[in-house]
Amino acid sequence: MAYSFPEEVLEHVFSFLSSARDRNTVSLVCKSWYEIERWCRHRIFVGNCYAVSPEIVIRRFPELRAVEMKGKPHFADFNLVPEGWGAYAYPWIAAMAEAYPFLEEIKLKRMVVTDETLELISKSYKNFKVLVLTSCEGFTTDGLASIAANCRHLRELDLRESEVEDLSGNWLSDFPDSCTSLVSLNMSCLGSEVSFSALERLVARSPDLRTLRLNRAVPLEKLANLVRHAPQLVELGTGAYSAEIRSDTFSSLADAFSACKQLKALSGFWDVVPSYLPAVYSVCSGITSLNLSYAAIPSSDLVKLISQCQNLQRLWVLDYIEDSGLEALAASCKDLQELRVFPSDPFGAEPNVSLTEQGLVSVSEGCPKLESVLYFCRQMSNAALIAIAKNRPNFIRFRLCIIEPQAADYLTLEPLDTGFGAIVENCKELRRLSMSGLLTDRVFKYIGTHAKKLEMLSIAFAGESDFGLHHVLSGCDSLRKLEIRDCPFGDKALLANAEKLETMRSLWMSSCSVSFGACKLLAQKMPRLNVEVIDERGPPDSRPESCSVERVYVYRTVASRQRLDMPDFVWTLEEDSSMRYS
Amino acid sequence: MENSTVEKEYIGDEELELGLGLSLGNASGEKGAAAYGNGGRILTAKDFPNGFACGTKRERAQKSASSSDPAALRQVVGWPPIRSYRMNSLLSQAKASNVAGEDDESSKKKMNHGGHLGFVKVNMDGLPIGRKLDLNAHKTYQTLAKALEEMFFSPSPHSRGGKEQTVKLLDGSSEFVLTYEDKEGDWMLVGDVPWGMFLNTVKRLRIMRTSEANGLAPKSQERNEKQKSKLI
């Protein structure tokens, strides 16, 4: 008796599943569901470009329209991954150019993207719409020119925090006059001036433009003109927010802003002249996201601005805000969900501002919806952390960076184990945690015991022995990404928890005590893990096996373990324990 | 502090809990040498003021409370964990605000500078992989040259206490010279202009073979003298 659900119906049901995880789960139900699902998957997310190969992806998913991918490990952001390590986008783009002529979206993070790659993108996909390059590098403004010139239906061009070699600002002029489809343009990371008239004309002919993030080179005097052309903007990133103080410039700017009834997000504000801040007051009540993290604004001016943004949900700011400003934030912004406080002078010997743990305590007390925090400060205490944990059991992301490595509780001189312990014990939904300060193995015991939903953990200058690492690997059931630097963790914990590593996306350990011998053993034991030894001192087998490696990066993969693009300081281990490098 | 960190590691010294990074420059914590910033090396347990395996927790904590040596902190690669993109932006804004009072033109120029003032790429002829260097860790050409010499010409870890090669990149005595690409895309010899002007215009560095550097603007004897006296 045939008992089969029509495929079309299943496909239709699946089309309501947007999360990749749900789709992955669905594909595991049975073979026919796997087949049906793979034919109707249009969107794919690859968390580690080396976990799978382009061929495998293309074979499984023939109808992709959107690809999102990440390359280098997170610690590459802090220069811990040597240049030339890998994460090249070109092979992916080249393979997909043939397989997916109707590809519309490419989103890459921490990958090396060359001009050649950009040119290939611009010429291969007739319907290309969205290009987002987050923290990428390797391309110049020439590559952008290809995109501008050839992508007729481009909707989004977002270069968040990418490193672009600025050859000239003329690329913007390569958008043809017929291009009117732009919805989002983020060029904030570019250094050089773009042709302002080209920019103005582009904005003026893009009625759907919702996001415009300018670069620093766009002067304040010209901002009003741009904004006037796009009163429908939802997100605006200014250029340099500084000019001679003139009332006509000010009123022109204020008028332009007051026409933006839909503005929800503001960013930019380089080189701020505080007297110009009131120009945005008219939009403050609608603002939900403020990124002032490049703006040197004194606390009092910040408070005046922020206290008008009662609907603020996200605030990124420099520590100029100080404890007093954070107290004011806590009093006015009851909808606050995410707070990031960056240091204005990270290498200064003395604190240049009065920002302490108290600021974070105030916000945790006053903002009931606060769930995501990134906080740089110079002192912390267990008492404060415990208070914060009790105030905000709803934390999802908690990243604390006490600037001095291994700084103890400044009140009791104890390690901060109990403080962070309180965080993981109270915040049962915690998904991401970054720790700092003086920490012993005890904190890892707390983490292993309580942090059951933790997916990403970042550790630096912490712990005392392999027990620390063992607690984490054996206790954190949901762990996907673990990154460790400068901790006395070594072979025993790693080898004892080898199987755990296959349930994770990746493990990064640098300046720890992992020996080359252990790396080889791990690779032998776990054939589906790629164990990359990243060491700039020459071949690891020219040193005793007990020698620690500089860095080891372990990730699960279904692609070949010998990636063809390894530089000469990366060694990957074959099953027969021989070492191969390209 | 010791110079033999590399040797100890090969013997498999128990005390050295952490893997050693590149042994670039000396580990002796001289303040002058300490300022070469990012891309230099990875600290070992011995270099770290607080240590790892030594002392009780309280001892460590007390040490930590009293030591706040910015030069040492700067030596730690990637700490505090701030993206270089953000760091460069902060630093270049700090410079711009320091020149408040200059006329509009030059302060505008400074504001329009690209966002990557701090970290620049450094390539050396013959080496495929480049490095990044934090220019803001330097105030003179001397420290810059020294840092680069240490980065690219230090004795290999395989040599045991071998003689130090002293390579002088700035005085034309070695087979390499230090050059930079400026905002206009021209390659110039490093050292010809005042340091501040150099910072404003440099996009990246290249350690070039002297034989290839012939096309570059030659340093006249006079200019040389003038610059040398400015640098000191």
Side-chain angles (χ1 to χ4, degrees):
Chain A
M1 169 170 84
Y3 186 78
S4 58
F5 218 52
E7 275 186 27
E8 297 80 5
V9 180
L10 271 177
E11 252 191 60
H12 184 68
V13 172
F14 293 167
S15 69
F16 292 99
L17 297 174
S18 48
S19 123
R21 276 189 206 178
D22 287 344
R23 281 196 161 252
N24 290 344
T25 312
V26 149
S27 65
L28 291 174
V29 167
C30 64
K31 283 199 179 134
S32 65
W33 280 37
Y34 177 92
E35 277 302 307
I36 296 167
E37 195 282 320
R38 77 181 187 90
W39 278 95
C40 66
R41 175 123 38 150
H42 298 304
R43 203 164 259 289
I44 190 176
F45 170 72
V46 178
N48 172 7
C49 63
Y50 290 121
V52 69
S53 72
E55 293 72 38
I56 294 175
V57 172
I58 291 169
R59 200 168 50 226
R60 181 172 171 188
F61 299 116
E63 301 284 323
L64 289 184
R65 295 206 208 112
V67 173
E68 188 180 340
M69 190 173 308
K70 294 186 182 179
K72 300 185 204 171
H74 174 239
F75 272 178
D77 282 355
F78 316 126
N79 296 315
L80 290 176
V81 179
E83 265 202 54
W85 173 79
Y88 302 104
Y90 189 82
W92 283 91
I93 303 300
M96 295 194 302
E98 296 221 13
Y100 305 125
F102 298 110
L103 193 69
E104 293 177 2
E105 272 185 38
I106 294 175
K107 295 183 182 174
L108 305 175
K109 185 169 183 177
R110 274 188 223 107
M111 294 191 75
V112 177
V113 180
T114 57
D115 284 347
E116 238 191 327
T117 313
L118 290 177
E119 204 183 323
L120 189 58
I121 291 175
S122 75
K123 297 203 167 133
S124 311
Y125 311 114
K126 303 296 166 226
N127 216 22
F128 194 68
K129 297 199 171 98
V130 172
L131 182 64
V132 178
L133 301 175
T134 308
S135 307
C136 293
E137 52 162 355
F139 59 103
T140 77
T141 41
D142 284 352
L144 296 180
S146 324
I147 297 286
N150 300 320
C151 301
R152 303 276 138 141
H153 309 284
L154 194 68
R155 287 212 206 130
E156 280 183 48
L157 177 60
D158 187 333
L159 307 171
R160 286 171 218 188
E161 299 186 350
S162 289
E163 256 186 60
V164 186
E165 198 177 324
D166 244 311
L167 300 176
S168 94
N170 292 333
W171 65 276
L172 201 74
S173 318
D174 284 324
F175 277 109
D177 288 338
S178 53
C179 177
T180 57
S181 48
L182 218 52
V183 172
S184 168
L185 176 63
N186 179 354
M187 42 179 248
S188 52
C189 62
L190 296 181
S192 62
E193 279 185 51
V194 294
S195 149
F196 187 77
S197 54
L199 177 59
E200 204 176 351
R201 279 180 283 121
L202 180 63
V203 172
R205 66 174 184 274
S206 305
D208 295 326
L209 194 67
R210 295 279 172 275
T211 299
L212 177 64
R213 298 204 199 272
L214 304 168
N215 65 341
R216 198 162 159 198
V218 176
L220 188 59
E221 296 89 341
K222 304 244 172 99
L223 185 62
N225 290 351
L226 276 179
V227 173
R228 250 192 286 279
H229 286 298
Q232 77 282 5
L233 277 179
V234 175
E235 299 182 328
L236 172 70
T238 74
Y241 206 75
S242 129
E244 252 182 68
I245 303 190
R246 294 173 50 150
S247 54
D248 54 352
T249 313
F250 182 90
S251 44
S252 172
L253 197 56
D255 282 343
F257 274 117
S258 60
C260 297
K261 305 292 183 198
Q262 317 210 39
L263 206 52
K264 291 219 170 338
L266 283 174
S267 60
F269 296 101
W270 285 281
D271 312 308
V272 170
V273 165
S275 319
Y276 274 106
L277 284 175
V280 306
Y281 281 179
S282 59
V283 296
C284 281
S285 57
I287 293 292
T288 56
S289 168
L290 252 189
N291 182 353
L292 302 171
S293 63
Y294 296 102
I297 305 176
S299 181
S300 49
D301 293 296
L302 272 172
V303 169
K304 280 193 213 135
L305 179 62
I306 289 169
S307 50
Q308 308 211 24
C309 304
Q310 286 97 2
N311 288 313
L312 197 62
Q313 291 172 17
R314 195 162 87 129
L315 176 65
W316 291 21
V317 75
L318 285 170
D319 57 6
Y320 291 123
I321 193 172
E322 300 193 318
D323 289 341
S324 54
L326 288 174
E327 231 181 277
L329 174 69
S332 4
C333 303
K334 296 304 185 184
D335 270 353
L336 194 70
Q337 292 170 24
E338 178 180 330
L339 174 67
R340 296 196 190 191
V341 180
F342 296 96
S344 52
D345 185 17
F347 297 116
E350 295 302 319
N352 59 325
V353 291
S354 174
L355 179 102
T356 68
E357 80 282 9
Q358 190 47 49
L360 188 55
V361 173
S362 311
V363 183
S364 72
E365 261 167 25
C367 301
K369 299 192 189 167
L370 186 67
E371 59 178 27
S372 175
V373 166
L374 168 59
Y375 199 78
F376 283 81
C377 60
R378 286 168 192 270
Q379 67 185 39
M380 188 49 63
S381 66
N382 284 309
L385 282 171
I386 292 169
I388 291 166
K390 297 226 162 95
N391 288 335
R392 288 277 67 77
N394 50 322
F395 272 150
I396 292 178
R397 278 170 229 104
F398 188 75
R399 299 160 70 186
L400 179 67
C401 178
I402 306 163
I403 290 184
E404 173 80 19
Q406 300 192 310
D409 177 329
Y410 77 101
L411 294 171
T412 65
L413 298 184
E414 292 281 313
L416 291 170
D417 298 334
T418 39
F420 279 102
I423 295 280
V424 293
E425 199 177 336
N426 284 298
C427 306
K428 304 210 191 303
E429 300 300 312
L430 196 68
R431 294 203 303 253
R432 183 167 180 182
L433 177 65
S434 304
M435 304 192 294
S436 54
L438 183 64
L439 297 164
T440 72
D441 283 347
R442 254 191 321 147
V443 74
F444 298 109
K445 192 151 183 219
Y446 298 145
I447 292 175
T449 308
H450 296 286
K452 295 305 182 185
K453 300 258 178 91
L454 193 66
E455 296 179 8
M456 181 168 178
L457 178 61
S458 309
I459 311 171
F461 306 107
E464 299 158 297
S465 76
D466 270 33
F467 276 117
L469 181 57
H470 176 68
H471 286 308
V472 170
L473 288 176
S474 56
C476 296
D477 298 334
S478 311
L479 198 62
R480 291 189 299 116
K481 289 179 279 185
L482 180 57
E483 48 185 24
I484 304 172
R485 63 162 297 177
D486 293 274
C487 296
F489 298 151
D491 304 343
K492 296 196 209 73
L494 206 55
L495 291 171
N497 292 282
E499 285 84 9
K500 170 74 175 179
L501 299 179
E502 223 182 77
T503 68
M504 292 164 52
R505 181 187 296 172
S506 65
L507 165 69
W508 169 278
M509 292 178 73
S510 55
S511 304
C512 296
S513 313
V514 180
S515 73
F516 181 56
C519 292
K520 291 207 302 194
L521 275 175
L522 184 61
Q524 279 173 308
K525 199 170 170 188
M526 308 292 302
R528 284 186 300 193
L529 288 181
N530 203 357
V531 180
E532 285 192 14
V533 171
I534 303 167
D535 203 316
E536 289 171 294
R537 297 169 297 172
D541 62 358
S542 63
R543 295 181 286 278
E545 277 205 3
S546 55
C547 256
S548 298
V549 298
E550 282 179 350
R551 310 166 192 85
V552 61
Y553 184 45
V554 182
Y555 53 89
R556 63 183 175 191
T557 181
V558 295
S560 151
R561 275 154 68 148
Q562 298 301 318
R563 59 183 176 98
L564 298 171
D565 56 3
M566 287 192 295
D568 62 8
F569 51 82
V570 176
W571 284 269
T572 221
L573 296 137
E574 280 293 272
E575 276 159 43
D576 63 358
S577 84
S578 68
M579 233 178 23
R580 288 250 249 111
Y581 49 98
S582 63
Chain B
M1 298 255 189
E2 73 273 354
N3 289 316
S4 56
T5 45
V6 171
E7 290 189 26
K8 272 197 180 163
E9 188 220 356
Y10 291 162
I11 299 165
D13 188 43
E14 300 291 285
E15 277 189 333
L16 282 170
E17 294 260 9
L18 301 188
L20 289 180
L22 298 164
S23 185
L24 298 177
N26 53 55
S28 66
E30 272 178 334
K31 296 269 167 81
Y36 61 76
N38 195 39
R41 67 201 179 112
I42 299 166
L43 282 197
T44 68
K46 295 299 179 192
D47 296 325
F48 213 87
N50 301 313
F52 285 102
C54 61
T56 62
K57 292 169 208 172
R58 204 160 267 272
E59 247 181 279
R60 264 206 305 252
Q62 275 163 356
K63 275 193 212 160
S64 132
S66 54
S67 78
S68 56
D69 179 5
L73 191 58
R74 252 229 144 94
Q75 272 192 300
V76 183
V77 176
W79 191 269
I82 300 169
R83 302 202 43 232
S84 39
Y85 173 84
R86 184 174 288 286
M87 203 93 90
N88 293 340
S89 183
L90 281 179
L91 293 168
S92 63
Q93 283 189 86
K95 283 194 151 48
S97 66
N98 280 344
V99 300
E102 280 191 27
D103 60 79
D104 272 12
E105 209 38 63
S106 53
S107 56
K108 262 196 198 148
K109 271 198 200 136
K110 285 184 162 77
M111 283 190 282
N112 282 339
H113 195 281
H116 301 287
L117 179 61
F119 289 92
V120 290
K121 289 195 181 170
V122 190
N123 283 82
M124 177 162 132
D125 284 354
L127 291 186
I129 306 290
R131 302 224 176 252
K132 278 193 192 162
L133 181 80
D134 179 6
L135 277 184
N136 284 292
H138 299 277
K139 298 217 165 40
T140 67
Y141 286 116
Q142 309 292 36
T143 61
L144 172 65
K146 183 145 201 284
L148 288 172
E149 284 154 21
E150 282 166 351
M151 205 184 271
F152 287 92
F153 296 101
S154 69
S156 86
H158 296 283
S159 70
R160 303 256 194 284
K163 61 175 189 298
E164 250 192 49
Q165 297 168 253
T166 44
V167 173
K168 294 292 171 219
L169 283 173
L170 286 183
D171 63 6
S173 66
S174 86
E175 63 164 305
F176 287 97
V177 287
L178 185 56
T179 64
Y180 70 101
E181 186 185 8
D182 70 6
K183 269 201 278 209
E184 272 109 51
D186 298 321
W187 284 92
M188 319 278 285
L189 280 175
V190 165
D192 279 357
V193 301
W195 177 256
M197 200 182 295
F198 166 70
L199 278 192
N200 264 337
T201 192
V202 61
K203 275 176 35 176
R204 56 183 162 158
L205 297 169
R206 182 170 154 206
I207 298 173
M208 204 183 277
R209 293 217 166 83
T210 312
S211 48
E212 292 203 23
N214 284 332
L216 297 180
K219 280 181 176 185
S220 72
Q221 188 68 11
E222 244 179 34
R223 268 161 72 200
N224 219 9
E225 305 291 84
K226 266 198 208 155
Q227 293 312 318
K228 278 198 168 140
S229 59
K230 270 192 189 159
L231 291 175
I232 298 160

